[in-house]
Amino acid sequence: KVDEGVKKRFKQGLIRLDTDFKGVKEAIDEFKNRGFTYLLIEQYFPHEESLERYIAFERTRPGIVISYSLKGGVEIESYQDVVKRKLIKSFEDVQEVAKDIGIDEELMSKFIEAMDIYYFSFLEINPLIVLPGGLKFLDIAAEVDSAGEFFVKDWSSADFRDTKTAKLTEEEKVVLKLSKKSASSFKLDVLNPNGSIFMLLSGGGVSVALADEVANLGKAGELTNYGEYSGNPTEEETYQELLAVDRSRR
């Protein structure tokens, strides 16, 4: 399966099930040709569809909200009418969710504990297979606060996946490398190389405001790029990013 920030991977043909070694090699070649870099190879686990559950943890301002359903899998969007949501305010709330979905309440508490320890802002397990002898996580999607890398010793930059699925341009690679080496922040996304509106970069707030105004004028599809720099970059760093931006429009 493709291991990148992509939703609905199965429906997009980014997962191969129950295949042999030759099929794995063919899938790897195909996914790489489509611009994907990170892949996972896992043991196939045959199961009855009736065992599939859905559970997701989301950090919100009031607290952690759990969404859950006794139906899970690739068709979860079709089951929204049976998905329950619960704001966790007490251990009794944890017990209620655990009982509804058939999970041990202590394990449910561990999920919530992991949200704090590993700086998760969102954690989705779908499908979750509930068995008499335990659980199977067939697929997990997660978002974390990358600032937590300072506190979580086992993390490294190699653990993070971008949501951008296309191959990075050479200019985007230059800016990404610049940002990783600097205490300041730099960003460049080439949105439409054939677009007619080319944006000069500025700080994050101004860049967002300008891009929003282009969209408000109905010209979002013509926007060539989006970028920003912030955190008091040096003159040389700013020059290097602007040089990359200039090259990206050629």
Side-chain angles (χ1 to χ4, degrees), residues 63-92:
I64 292 177
V65 174
I66 303 180
S67 302
Y68 59 101
S69 170
L70 292 178
K71 290 185 176 181
V74 298
E75 300 296 339
I76 184 61
E77 288 82 7
S78 304
Y79 307 144
Q80 290 304 304
D81 57 329
V82 297
V83 174
K84 298 180 180 179
R85 289 172 60 86
K86 185 74 174 180
L87 174 63
I88 301 302
K89 296 181 179 180
S90 65
F91 183 66
E92 285 72 24

Short mmCIF file of all heavy atoms in Angstrom, two decimals, residues 63-92:
data_model
loop_
_atom_site.label_atom_id
_atom_site.label_comp_id
_atom_site.label_asym_id
_atom_site.label_seq_id
_atom_site.Cartn_x
_atom_site.Cartn_y
_atom_site.Cartn_z
N GLY A 63 -11.98 19.15 23.71
CA GLY A 63 -11.35 17.91 24.14
C GLY A 63 -11.30 16.89 23.01
O GLY A 63 -11.58 17.22 21.85
N ILE A 64 -10.98 15.65 23.34
CA ILE A 64 -10.88 14.60 22.33
C ILE A 64 -12.27 14.06 22.01
O ILE A 64 -13.04 13.70 22.90
CB ILE A 64 -9.96 13.46 22.81
CG1 ILE A 64 -8.52 13.95 22.89
CG2 ILE A 64 -10.05 12.25 21.87
CD1 ILE A 64 -7.53 12.93 23.41
N VAL A 65 -12.59 14.04 20.72
CA VAL A 65 -13.86 13.51 20.25
C VAL A 65 -13.61 12.17 19.57
O VAL A 65 -12.71 12.06 18.71
CB VAL A 65 -14.54 14.47 19.25
CG1 VAL A 65 -15.79 13.84 18.65
CG2 VAL A 65 -14.88 15.80 19.93
N ILE A 66 -14.36 11.15 19.95
CA ILE A 66 -14.25 9.83 19.34
C ILE A 66 -15.43 9.61 18.40
O ILE A 66 -16.59 9.76 18.80
CB ILE A 66 -14.22 8.71 20.39
CG1 ILE A 66 -13.07 8.91 21.38
CG2 ILE A 66 -14.08 7.34 19.72
CD1 ILE A 66 -12.99 7.85 22.45
N SER A 67 -15.13 9.29 17.15
CA SER A 67 -16.15 8.88 16.18
C SER A 67 -16.02 7.37 16.01
O SER A 67 -14.91 6.87 15.83
CB SER A 67 -15.96 9.58 14.84
OG SER A 67 -16.01 10.99 15.00
N TYR A 68 -17.14 6.65 16.03
CA TYR A 68 -17.03 5.19 15.97
C TYR A 68 -18.29 4.58 15.36
O TYR A 68 -19.37 5.16 15.38
CB TYR A 68 -16.77 4.61 17.36
CG TYR A 68 -17.83 4.91 18.38
CD1 TYR A 68 -18.80 3.96 18.72
CD2 TYR A 68 -17.86 6.14 19.04
CE1 TYR A 68 -19.76 4.24 19.67
CE2 TYR A 68 -18.83 6.42 19.98
CZ TYR A 68 -19.79 5.47 20.30
OH TYR A 68 -20.75 5.74 21.23
N SER A 69 -18.10 3.38 14.81
CA SER A 69 -19.22 2.68 14.18
C SER A 69 -18.94 1.19 14.16
O SER A 69 -17.79 0.76 14.07
CB SER A 69 -19.40 3.18 12.74
OG SER A 69 -20.32 2.37 12.04
N LEU A 70 -20.01 0.40 14.26
CA LEU A 70 -19.88 -1.05 14.16
C LEU A 70 -19.72 -1.48 12.70
O LEU A 70 -19.51 -2.66 12.42
CB LEU A 70 -21.11 -1.74 14.77
CG LEU A 70 -21.24 -1.59 16.29
CD1 LEU A 70 -22.51 -2.27 16.77
CD2 LEU A 70 -20.03 -2.18 17.00
N LYS A 71 -19.83 -0.53 11.79
CA LYS A 71 -19.53 -0.77 10.38
C LYS A 71 -18.30 0.04 10.01
O LYS A 71 -18.21 1.22 10.32
CB LYS A 71 -20.71 -0.36 9.49
CG LYS A 71 -21.93 -1.25 9.60
CD LYS A 71 -22.99 -0.82 8.59
CE LYS A 71 -24.18 -1.76 8.62
NZ LYS A 71 -25.21 -1.37 7.61
N GLY A 72 -17.35 -0.61 9.31
CA GLY A 72 -16.14 0.08 8.89
C GLY A 72 -15.75 -0.34 7.50
O GLY A 72 -16.54 -0.96 6.78
N GLY A 73 -14.53 -0.03 7.13
CA GLY A 73 -14.04 -0.44 5.82
C GLY A 73 -14.08 0.67 4.79
O GLY A 73 -14.31 1.84 5.11
N VAL A 74 -13.89 0.30 3.53
CA VAL A 74 -13.74 1.28 2.46
C VAL A 74 -15.02 2.05 2.17
O VAL A 74 -14.99 3.12 1.55
CB VAL A 74 -13.23 0.61 1.16
CG1 VAL A 74 -11.86 0.01 1.39
CG2 VAL A 74 -14.21 -0.44 0.67
N GLU A 75 -16.16 1.53 2.62
CA GLU A 75 -17.43 2.21 2.35
C GLU A 75 -17.91 3.03 3.55
O GLU A 75 -19.09 3.31 3.68
CB GLU A 75 -18.51 1.18 1.99
CG GLU A 75 -18.20 0.36 0.75
CD GLU A 75 -18.13 1.20 -0.51
OE1 GLU A 75 -18.69 2.32 -0.51
OE2 GLU A 75 -17.51 0.74 -1.49
N ILE A 76 -17.00 3.45 4.41
CA ILE A 76 -17.39 4.15 5.63
C ILE A 76 -18.18 5.41 5.34
O ILE A 76 -19.08 5.79 6.11
CB ILE A 76 -16.14 4.48 6.49
CG1 ILE A 76 -16.55 5.12 7.83
CG2 ILE A 76 -15.17 5.35 5.73
CD1 ILE A 76 -17.41 4.25 8.70
N GLU A 77 -17.90 6.10 4.22
CA GLU A 77 -18.65 7.31 3.89
C GLU A 77 -20.15 7.01 3.72
O GLU A 77 -20.99 7.89 3.92
CB GLU A 77 -18.11 7.95 2.61
CG GLU A 77 -16.76 8.63 2.78
CD GLU A 77 -15.60 7.66 2.70
OE1 GLU A 77 -15.86 6.48 2.40
OE2 GLU A 77 -14.45 8.07 2.94
N SER A 78 -20.47 5.78 3.34
CA SER A 78 -21.87 5.41 3.14
C SER A 78 -22.58 5.10 4.46
O SER A 78 -23.80 4.97 4.48
CB SER A 78 -21.96 4.18 2.23
OG SER A 78 -21.31 4.39 0.99
N TYR A 79 -21.80 5.00 5.55
CA TYR A 79 -22.38 4.62 6.83
C TYR A 79 -22.46 5.80 7.80
O TYR A 79 -22.60 5.61 9.01
CB TYR A 79 -21.53 3.53 7.50
CG TYR A 79 -21.26 2.32 6.65
CD1 TYR A 79 -20.04 1.64 6.73
CD2 TYR A 79 -22.20 1.83 5.75
CE1 TYR A 79 -19.77 0.53 5.94
CE2 TYR A 79 -21.95 0.72 4.96
CZ TYR A 79 -20.74 0.08 5.06
OH TYR A 79 -20.48 -1.02 4.28
N GLN A 80 -22.37 7.04 7.30
CA GLN A 80 -22.30 8.19 8.20
C GLN A 80 -23.51 8.30 9.12
O GLN A 80 -23.42 8.87 10.21
CB GLN A 80 -22.16 9.48 7.37
CG GLN A 80 -20.79 9.61 6.69
CD GLN A 80 -19.65 9.54 7.67
OE1 GLN A 80 -19.59 10.32 8.63
NE2 GLN A 80 -18.73 8.61 7.46
N ASP A 81 -24.64 7.74 8.70
CA ASP A 81 -25.83 7.82 9.54
C ASP A 81 -25.73 6.95 10.78
O ASP A 81 -26.49 7.14 11.74
CB ASP A 81 -27.08 7.44 8.73
CG ASP A 81 -26.98 6.05 8.12
OD1 ASP A 81 -25.85 5.64 7.79
OD2 ASP A 81 -28.01 5.37 7.99
N VAL A 82 -24.79 6.00 10.80
CA VAL A 82 -24.64 5.13 11.97
C VAL A 82 -23.35 5.43 12.73
O VAL A 82 -23.05 4.75 13.72
CB VAL A 82 -24.68 3.64 11.56
CG1 VAL A 82 -26.03 3.29 10.97
CG2 VAL A 82 -23.55 3.29 10.60
N VAL A 83 -22.58 6.41 12.29
CA VAL A 83 -21.36 6.78 13.00
C VAL A 83 -21.73 7.67 14.19
O VAL A 83 -22.40 8.69 14.04
CB VAL A 83 -20.38 7.54 12.08
CG1 VAL A 83 -19.17 8.04 12.89
CG2 VAL A 83 -19.90 6.63 10.96
N LYS A 84 -21.32 7.27 15.38
CA LYS A 84 -21.60 8.03 16.60
C LYS A 84 -20.39 8.90 16.95
O LYS A 84 -19.25 8.56 16.61
CB LYS A 84 -21.91 7.08 17.76
CG LYS A 84 -23.13 6.22 17.55
CD LYS A 84 -23.36 5.32 18.77
CE LYS A 84 -24.58 4.43 18.59
NZ LYS A 84 -24.79 3.55 19.76
N ARG A 85 -20.63 10.00 17.63
CA ARG A 85 -19.56 10.89 18.08
C ARG A 85 -19.73 11.14 19.57
O ARG A 85 -20.84 11.36 20.05
CB ARG A 85 -19.58 12.21 17.31
CG ARG A 85 -19.15 12.07 15.86
CD ARG A 85 -19.37 13.37 15.09
NE ARG A 85 -18.63 14.48 15.65
CZ ARG A 85 -17.37 14.76 15.36
NH1 ARG A 85 -16.69 13.97 14.52
NH2 ARG A 85 -16.76 15.81 15.89
N LYS A 86 -18.59 11.12 20.27
CA LYS A 86 -18.63 11.30 21.72
C LYS A 86 -17.47 12.17 22.18
O LYS A 86 -16.31 11.84 21.92
CB LYS A 86 -18.57 9.93 22.40
CG LYS A 86 -18.72 9.97 23.91
CD LYS A 86 -20.16 10.24 24.31
CE LYS A 86 -20.37 10.15 25.81
NZ LYS A 86 -21.77 10.41 26.19
N LEU A 87 -17.78 13.28 22.84
CA LEU A 87 -16.75 14.11 23.46
C LEU A 87 -16.37 13.49 24.79
O LEU A 87 -17.22 13.28 25.65
CB LEU A 87 -17.26 15.53 23.67
CG LEU A 87 -16.33 16.48 24.44
CD1 LEU A 87 -15.02 16.70 23.70
CD2 LEU A 87 -17.03 17.82 24.71
N ILE A 88 -15.09 13.16 24.95
CA ILE A 88 -14.63 12.47 26.16
C ILE A 88 -14.38 13.48 27.28
O ILE A 88 -13.46 14.30 27.21
CB ILE A 88 -13.35 11.66 25.87
CG1 ILE A 88 -13.63 10.64 24.77
CG2 ILE A 88 -12.87 10.97 27.14
CD1 ILE A 88 -14.74 9.67 25.07
N LYS A 89 -15.23 13.40 28.30
CA LYS A 89 -15.09 14.29 29.45
C LYS A 89 -14.73 13.52 30.72
O LYS A 89 -14.29 14.13 31.70
CB LYS A 89 -16.39 15.06 29.68
CG LYS A 89 -16.77 15.99 28.54
CD LYS A 89 -18.07 16.72 28.86
CE LYS A 89 -18.46 17.70 27.76
NZ LYS A 89 -19.72 18.41 28.07
N SER A 90 -14.97 12.21 30.72
CA SER A 90 -14.73 11.41 31.93
C SER A 90 -14.44 9.97 31.54
O SER A 90 -14.59 9.58 30.37
CB SER A 90 -15.96 11.45 32.85
OG SER A 90 -17.06 10.82 32.21
N PHE A 91 -14.03 9.17 32.52
CA PHE A 91 -13.76 7.76 32.26
C PHE A 91 -15.05 7.03 31.90
O PHE A 91 -15.02 6.04 31.17
CB PHE A 91 -13.10 7.12 33.48
CG PHE A 91 -12.72 5.68 33.26
CD1 PHE A 91 -11.74 5.33 32.34
CD2 PHE A 91 -13.37 4.66 33.95
CE1 PHE A 91 -11.39 4.01 32.12
CE2 PHE A 91 -13.03 3.33 33.75
CZ PHE A 91 -12.03 3.00 32.83
N GLU A 92 -16.19 7.52 32.40
CA GLU A 92 -17.47 6.91 32.06
C GLU A 92 -17.74 7.03 30.56
O GLU A 92 -18.31 6.13 29.95
CB GLU A 92 -18.61 7.57 32.85
CG GLU A 92 -18.68 7.18 34.32
CD GLU A 92 -17.54 7.78 35.14
OE1 GLU A 92 -16.99 8.82 34.71
OE2 GLU A 92 -17.21 7.21 36.20
#
